[in-house]
Amino acid sequence: MNKVVIVTGAGRGIGAATATLLAGQGYAVCINYLKNQAAAEAVAGAIEQAGGRVITAQADVSSEAEVAALFETTQARLGRVTHLVNNAGILSTQARFEEISVERFRQVLDVNVTGAFLCAKAFIRQARGPGAIVNVSSGAAKSGSPFEYVDYAASKGAMDSMTRGLALELAARGIRVNG
């Protein structure tokens, strides 16, 4: 089976490490990034040097049109996407709940929750047979991150709920969903 994975937010940190690990396990990898093309290209270069198949693709995961283009590009260049790692996320500066603006709250939800929703939906639409979705969550979903990141914690709690619901919906189709 040709294993093809999109790792969102893969230009650095957990996403970069995940993309590198999966490439080493034989996956063709699409490294998604939003702004830092140089970082994404550096990760791709390291994967290529190790003999992996890799592309980079800029896309804002909170945009349905850009997510659709991300999946189209990946399929055209690497093959049908068999795995998805929803890693892209944002975390703003520490703030008490009452200091968090509506704009900040909405942006965190748009990227962290709506982005994962849109990517999972695009993945499901083109899925054929066994595959997997991994949603990168956080212990903040359980702790609530008081006095720091209640907005981020709320987004990861939503991610956990979406993960559970998707796992139950997709199990019969041979698609695992984990967080």
Side-chain angles (χ1 to χ4, degrees):
M1 174 180 159
N2 184 30
K3 297 182 291 186
V4 177
V5 63
I6 293 175
V7 182
T8 66
R12 60 185 185 86
I14 293 169
T18 302
T20 302
L21 176 71
L22 292 173
Q25 294 177 354
Y27 288 76
V29 178
C30 174
I31 296 171
N32 160 253
Y33 67 94
L34 177 61
K35 294 179 184 170
N36 195 339
Q37 182 177 3
E41 295 292 344
V43 175
I47 290 171
E48 284 176 339
Q49 280 190 325
R53 288 181 57 217
V54 63
I55 64 169
T56 60
Q58 189 281 332
D60 177 351
V61 296
S62 69
S63 163
E64 190 167 12
E66 291 188 34
V67 167
L70 171 65
F71 275 80
E72 290 167 13
T73 297
T74 303
Q75 184 165 342
R77 296 187 54 201
L78 297 175
R80 185 184 326 279
V81 180
T82 59
H83 295 76
L84 169 65
V85 178
N86 278 318
N87 173 69
I90 58 171
L91 176 69
S92 297
T93 57
Q94 290 184 343
R96 297 175 63 89
F97 184 82
E98 68 228 27
E99 297 165 348
I100 296 171
S101 69
V102 171
E103 293 77 19
R104 169 181 156 163
F105 194 83
R106 284 185 178 140
Q107 183 183 30
V108 168
L109 291 178
D110 277 350
V111 174
N112 298 2
V113 181
T114 304
F117 164 79
L118 291 172
C119 288
K121 195 170 178 180
F123 175 83
I124 294 163
R125 285 184 177 145
Q126 57 87 68
R128 305 281 184 272
I133 299 171
V134 175
N135 292 324
V136 178
S137 189
S138 169
K142 295 200 184 333
S143 74
S145 290
F147 310 104
E148 295 180 315
Y149 313 108
V150 173
D151 52 348
Y152 175 80
S155 75
K156 293 303 181 173
M159 173 80 79
D160 289 354
S161 293
M162 185 167 53
T163 299
R164 177 78 175 141
L166 272 177
L168 295 170
E169 279 193 28
L170 299 176
R173 291 179 56 183
I175 299 171
R176 288 178 295 107
V177 184
N178 298 98

